[in-house]
Amino acid sequence: MNNSWKSKLAVSIVSTLAVSTNVWAASLPGEGISVQPVQSSVAEETFQTLIVNRALEELGYDVKSTQEVDYNVGYTSIAKGDATFLSVGWFPLHDDKYKMAGGDDKFYREGQYVSGAAQGYLIDKKTAEKYNITNIGQLTDPKIAKLFDANGDGKADLTGCNPGWGCETVIEHQLSAFKLDDTVTHNQGNYAAIIADTISRYQKGESILYYTWTPYWVSGVLVPNEDVVWLEVPFSSLPGDRSDVDTTLSNGKNYGFQMNSMRIIANKEFAKNNPSAAKLFEIIKLNINDVSAQNMMMSKGKNSSADIEAHVNGWIKANQSMFDGWIEEAKKAAL
């Protein structure tokens, strides 16, 4: 082999390696780019967040540890560019928060990450059937309200919604609209602790009144139509820009809340500069039943960071082809 031929071969190898390196780099559009996810303090939203984080890592992004913030702070931080995205934005529940933080001028919001989330008021089935209670408006009657009195003050105790979540403003608005302020107390604080006490009272045979949502583990413990029943509302009534919205569902029932979707909210400038991430945010979807199943595992004690990571690993393995499909489609968006 003469020196000239050797030189040509060496150049060919180097060129091939350079091309291979360029192809590899092109396949990782997020290489060298850091992203900052945020989520609420609701531990049951960690699973949804981590799946998105893992997908972004597959695209080459440097995903920082998720920061827990109040929803309002989350929207404001994303709008300013101090954070990159929120995986669990509740819509239309968070419509007012979204608009106040800048709306479409500041955010990228495409696709439906998790669809079909319901929420509303429930009572135990035994009390509902004994007193023929089907509507929360019936609690304007002090005698009916007193059935759900947990502390002896004569008023019904409603296990409610944490300040800052968004649902608390709906509940407060509706208690006034339905003239329930004098007969119902909206108990707020640490929802997980308050609902645990509510479940304990149910197990002792006491009457209970509470707010909850799906997907969440509570409906796996207090099963609707078996242990508890949903209450309808006297009429549609929502605060803010949704004041004219009809909350009647397709089945004709009106539980006072619209069906919600969890949507990924990202900084608009980031999405513009990162088409692969934007495409991922648009196409990624998670079945609501998978979220409920994972939340149930958490409620049974499998709730450590390591446990949730294992749940994410298991979910990705069980849905590998779909997960890989998201990554491939997102990569194409950068070409």
Side-chain angles (χ1 to χ4, degrees):
M1 184 181 294
N2 59 46
N3 290 334
S4 176
W5 201 89
K6 288 181 179 179
S7 298
K8 290 180 179 178
L9 178 61
V11 170
S12 177
I13 291 172
V14 170
S15 298
T16 300
L17 288 173
V19 171
S20 297
T21 301
N22 288 336
V23 170
W24 177 78
S27 70
L28 295 174
E31 191 72 21
I33 302 172
S34 296
V35 296
Q36 178 61 66
V38 293
Q39 74 169 72
S40 77
S41 60
V42 180
E44 287 79 7
E45 292 181 357
T46 305
F47 177 68
Q48 298 94 296
T49 301
L50 288 179
I51 288 175
V52 178
N53 289 0
R54 290 285 290 277
L56 286 169
E57 288 172 351
E58 288 293 318
L59 291 171
Y61 289 93
D62 175 19
V63 182
K64 304 299 184 184
S65 296
T66 304
Q67 293 183 352
E68 284 191 8
V69 296
D70 176 87
Y71 285 118
N72 292 325
V73 174
Y75 282 102
T76 302
S77 298
I78 293 168
K80 291 180 177 179
D82 296 333
T84 311
F85 69 96
L86 167 74
S87 291
V88 186
W90 290 81
F91 291 93
L93 185 66
H94 287 175
D95 276 352
D96 290 341
K97 298 179 187 294
Y98 181 84
K99 291 175 182 176
M100 287 180 65
D104 294 340
D105 291 338
K106 295 291 185 179
F107 301 111
Y108 173 84
R109 179 183 62 172
E110 297 292 340
Q112 307 277 340
Y113 185 26
V114 182
S115 301
Q119 53 192 312
Y121 310 103
L122 298 95
I123 62 173
D124 61 286
K125 189 175 181 181
K126 180 181 68 175
T127 304
E129 292 181 344
K130 183 176 181 179
Y131 295 94
N132 194 30
I133 304 170
T134 60
N135 194 299
I136 196 169
Q138 292 174 253
L139 273 67
T140 54
D141 182 344
K143 293 180 181 178
I144 296 296
K146 192 173 182 180
L147 297 171
F148 305 97
D149 179 13
N151 58 12
D153 67 355
K155 297 177 67 174
D157 284 286
L158 167 65
T159 298
C161 178
N162 285 28
W165 282 4
C167 41
E168 84 285 359
T169 60
V170 177
I171 294 172
E172 289 294 325
H173 172 85
Q174 291 183 344
L175 290 180
S176 295
F178 304 151
K179 303 188 184 308
L180 294 167
D181 287 326
D182 293 336
T183 55
V184 178
T185 299
H186 181 196
N187 293 323
Q188 298 176 270
N190 183 323
Y191 182 86
I194 299 175
I195 197 66
D197 178 69
T198 303
I199 292 170
S200 177
R201 289 193 289 109
Y202 170 79
Q203 292 171 338
K204 294 175 184 176
E206 298 179 27
S207 301
I208 58 170
L209 166 67
Y210 65 98
Y211 160 87
T212 199
W213 66 95
T214 62
Y216 195 60
W217 60 266
V218 169
S219 293
V221 176
L222 298 174
V223 181
N225 300 320
E226 292 183 19
D227 306 309
V228 294
V229 296
W230 293 89
L231 292 181
E232 291 197 67
V233 294
F235 50 86
S236 298
S237 186
L238 293 173
D241 291 343
R242 294 183 291 151
S243 59
D244 295 330
V245 171
D246 183 355
T247 51
T248 304
L249 302 179
S250 59
N251 63 1
K253 300 290 187 179
N254 190 346
Y255 301 130
F257 292 80
Q258 295 166 274
M259 292 295 287
N260 270 247
S261 294
M262 298 180 202
R263 306 185 67 179
I264 299 172
I265 307 303
N267 175 270
K268 190 167 186 175
E269 191 67 20
F270 169 83
K272 179 181 177 181
N273 295 329
N274 292 270
S276 287
K279 175 56 69 173
L280 175 72
F281 295 156
E282 176 190 349
I283 63 175
I284 190 170
K285 293 188 184 299
L286 186 57
N287 189 295
I288 194 170
N289 294 324
D290 292 349
V291 179
S292 292
Q294 190 274 336
N295 286 182
M296 179 59 73
M297 288 191 284
M298 290 180 67
S299 76
K300 293 181 177 179
K302 299 292 185 179
N303 53 14
S304 69
S305 295
D307 289 330
I308 299 173
E309 286 280 0
H311 299 159
V312 171
N313 292 338
W315 186 90
I316 291 175
K317 185 176 181 180
N319 297 274
Q320 194 69 59
S321 61
M322 181 171 64
F323 184 84
D324 291 344
W326 296 333
I327 304 306
E328 290 309 309
E329 189 171 345
K331 285 178 180 178
K332 291 176 184 176
L335 300 179

